[in-house]
Amino acid sequence: MTKRPSQARWISVLCHARSVSHMLHSLRTMVSRGPRHTAERLFPVMAIEIPHFKFAYMALPKAGCSTIKRSLATVDPEFAQKAAEFPEFAADEDRDALVHNVYKTRRFWPATWAKYDHGWWRFCIVRDPVDRLLSCYADLVVKRRDLYKSRRLRRGLIDLPCDPDPDYFFQNIMAYSKAASTIRHHSASARWFLGPGLQDFDDIYPIERMSDCIEAISSRSGVPLQYRHENKSGRGLELADLKPSTRKVLRKFLANDYAVLSRWYDSPF
């Protein structure tokens, strides 16, 4: 007999459905196949998994994820098999694009995270919210010029410049997040990727202790690793360089992240 879905399951379907048709399909699936199947369908694999060692890593964009992903690729005995699914990146010499496609950064879903409760090493890297956001501007806006890749901006559907100065960008951070998916992804709250309370991790490393995380991956896997920080944005921008009005916007924008990460970082506002 199929177990009756709980009220929480019904609410989860209603809250996370991508569209009305998706919601109806999910509800039908829940009734016909049970809540476990529906949870797996609505909340697919989200952690970066290394099943051989039972590693479960939740990546936070602009918080050392390139470095950790490259380290995991070195110890993962199944990496070559996973990489074969992305032949378009076979010629990627530094493997950045490859590792980011093999190990995709996904949003945190409690229903899926529960699968790692027993026997898995659950870990993540956190970073000062201001530093993370400044790095987002330096890397994506200045270095990679990602705003020029936004169709909405190129076509003039959203009236925003593609080369904003830091103050203009941060004062309009919400509008730029809507205009460019890469900005939205890299500036989204840490709670999106690590959960609301970060209480279900075995180890949480501030980015200043990145080498400790690499050492733990090495010791747990038995594979020697050498720490080498990747994807340095080379930013010279500091919070003090921004206008008071911009800092006021960032104080509000980052308030929740500083509340969640208060154990590691104090708000500078």
Side-chain angles (χ1 to χ4, degrees), residues 146-158 162 178-181:
D146 274 7
L147 293 179
Y148 285 92
K149 303 172 187 176
S150 167
R151 292 182 179 180
R152 293 181 178 182
L153 292 177
R154 291 202 316 268
R155 295 175 180 177
L157 300 178
I158 298 180
C162 292
K178 293 179 180 178
S181 60

Side-chain angles (χ1 to χ4, degrees), residues 128-130 239 250-251 254-255 258-259 261-262 265-269:
D128 184 290
V130 163
L239 183 63
L250 292 186
R251 179 179 62 189
L254 298 173
Y258 274 110
L261 301 175
S262 60
Y265 300 106
D266 296 325
S267 173
F269 301 108

Side-chain angles (χ1 to χ4, degrees), residues 89-109:
F89 300 110
D92 181 20
E93 294 183 1
D94 61 8
R95 300 207 303 176
D96 275 353
L98 180 60
V99 296
H100 280 291
N101 277 274
V102 172
Y103 301 135
K104 289 184 171 61
T105 298
R106 294 185 173 92
R107 185 174 176 178
F108 183 94
W109 297 110

